[in-house]
Amino acid sequence: MPSLSPRPDDGSYNEDLTLLTLYQLAGEESGGFVAFRPHFLDRFTRSLAFGTSAAIPVPETGAVTVRELTPSELVRAERELWIHYHQQTVDHEHDRLFAAFAGTRLIGVARCARHPDGLEVDAVYVLDDYRRKGYARSVMQSLIEECGRAETLYMHSKTELIDFYGSMGFRLIPEADLPKSIRDRFGFLMGDLDSIRVCPMKREPGFTREEGTGENT
């Protein structure tokens, strides 16, 4: 599968720092976004987007497996992955996490969070060394099979990943079509999602994925 195209960057816009500032302002207690400590800034700017750099070759440590994390394993996503990605935290009551393992090492994760009026997919993250190998797609497919079989999934996609999520059945929708509790997470932007280059998407049950389509990420 082809790799993602690099993000356009003419030097006039720093998406990573803009997102960092906006996520700080969001300050949600639900665990979606929390204050960011300055000493993680370098890690953040290197790891925020899937397509910013080529993957670094790493020795394979065994077959990669993909499965849902057990309740006792959920904290591993915080400590081993999300510490590099907005310091996301787990809501043990409402979150389901699907992860990829290289041997015993946790290398990628995707979250499905249950809100009062819908399911939201977010916090899809793969360690730098394992990107562009298809693991983000694998954890997303696992999540979709378990959570999206009978229910609609919603998300805020980064604009450069629209085609990636589109290949798995997500389609662009107006912000007004998001369930209120999910829409309100970005309510502080007052509808200006373009300023952080994200777009609402949803996936309805029944989509059949064509094998081999989409981007490798």
Side-chain angles (χ1 to χ4, degrees):
M1 292 181 285
S3 62
L4 285 173
S5 299
R7 183 183 69 230
D9 190 353
D10 60 4
S12 63
Y13 177 82
N14 189 321
E15 178 189 10
D16 294 352
L17 294 179
T18 300
L19 283 172
L20 172 58
T21 301
L22 291 171
Y23 288 152
Q24 285 180 307
L25 291 173
E28 294 182 3
E29 295 179 356
S30 64
F33 308 112
V34 295
F36 200 92
R37 299 184 186 126
H39 64 278
F40 287 116
L41 180 58
D42 181 60
R43 290 180 181 179
F44 176 87
T45 55
R46 285 188 290 108
S47 63
L48 180 62
F50 285 123
T52 55
S53 61
I56 300 172
V58 293
E60 295 296 335
T61 56
V64 172
T65 58
V66 177
R67 62 174 175 82
E68 183 172 4
L69 296 182
T70 66
S72 63
E73 291 176 316
L74 296 180
V75 69
R76 290 190 62 182
E78 296 181 7
R79 295 174 177 173
E80 300 174 34
L81 296 180
W82 288 338
I83 192 171
H84 309 300
Y85 185 73
H86 312 317
Q87 293 185 271
Q88 301 277 338
T89 57
V90 174
D91 181 332
H92 288 263
E93 184 177 353
H94 300 109
D95 290 353
R96 295 180 67 180
L97 271 56
F98 299 82
F101 292 83
T104 60
R105 186 183 188 190
L106 184 62
I107 63 172
V109 70
R111 170 169 61 193
C112 183
R114 181 168 293 282
H115 295 267
D117 49 1
L119 295 177
E120 181 183 23
V121 178
D122 75 335
V124 183
Y125 181 79
V126 175
L127 290 175
D128 288 355
D129 293 350
Y130 293 89
R131 291 179 183 175
R132 297 177 181 260
K133 297 177 183 292
Y135 301 139
R137 178 175 294 277
S138 295
V139 294
M140 278 296 300
Q141 288 170 351
S142 180
L143 182 155
I144 288 169
E145 289 170 4
E146 292 297 321
C147 302
R149 185 182 302 116
E151 293 189 64
T152 299
L153 303 175
Y154 297 90
M155 71 184 316
H156 288 86
S157 170
K158 296 176 68 175
T159 54
E160 66 266 31
L161 296 175
I162 288 172
D163 288 344
F164 170 67
Y165 291 118
S167 71
M168 291 180 282
F170 287 86
R171 62 181 181 85
L172 292 170
I173 58 172
E175 186 180 13
D177 289 356
L178 290 169
K180 184 179 185 302
S181 60
I182 297 174
R183 183 174 68 249
D184 286 352
R185 295 211 312 117
F186 286 81
F188 65 99
L189 289 172
M190 301 182 68
D192 186 19
L193 295 179
D194 288 344
S195 65
I196 59 169
R197 297 187 181 184
V198 299
C199 300
M201 302 186 78
K202 79 172 181 179
R203 182 191 187 279
E204 296 175 340
F207 174 83
T208 301
R209 182 178 66 88
E210 294 182 8
E211 295 293 335
T213 62
E215 303 292 347
N216 189 21
T217 188

